[in-house]
Amino acid sequence: MPKYVIERELPGAGSLAPDTLQAISQKSCSVLSSLGPEVQWLHSYVTDDKIYCIYLAPSKELILEHARQGGFPANSVAEVRTVIDPTTAE
């Protein structure tokens, strides 16, 4: 299954209260549930003004549909081609 990185521009994201992050997560999970098991949210990284989400999905179009239905920004959606880490240097 292809893996995607979604960049969501959200000014002040790093200052969002835990209950706001919980509400965003609940909305995301609700939309994912309606889309079916093909789209899976793995995790997200929250920075000062952006959220970077990692998803598994059969297509970029399903990622964009999730964003549309949830009312989430999806400023950039890129398919992960490979993963490297320190062991890649060995």
Side-chain angles (χ1 to χ4, degrees):
M1 178 85 62
K3 185 180 288 187
Y4 293 90
V5 176
I6 301 99
E7 179 183 61
R8 304 183 193 282
E9 291 183 17
L10 189 60
S15 299
L16 292 173
D19 61 329
T20 302
L21 291 172
Q22 182 181 36
I24 291 169
S25 298
Q26 289 171 340
K27 177 65 175 179
S28 178
C29 288
S30 173
V31 173
L32 287 170
S33 179
S34 73
L35 290 175
E38 291 184 319
V39 184
Q40 184 180 14
W41 173 29
L42 299 180
H43 57 271
S44 297
Y45 301 98
V46 180
T47 66
D48 288 339
D49 295 313
K50 295 181 182 183
I51 299 177
Y52 298 91
C53 303
I54 311 300
Y55 278 65
L56 297 177
S59 70
K60 179 178 177 177
E61 290 71 33
L62 276 174
I63 298 291
L64 294 172
E65 181 61 19
H66 170 264
R68 188 191 68 73
Q69 286 187 28
F72 309 121
N75 304 92
S76 171
V77 178
E79 186 174 346
V80 174
R81 298 297 179 186
T82 194
V83 176
I84 62 172
D85 62 27
T87 63
T88 306
E90 297 173 359

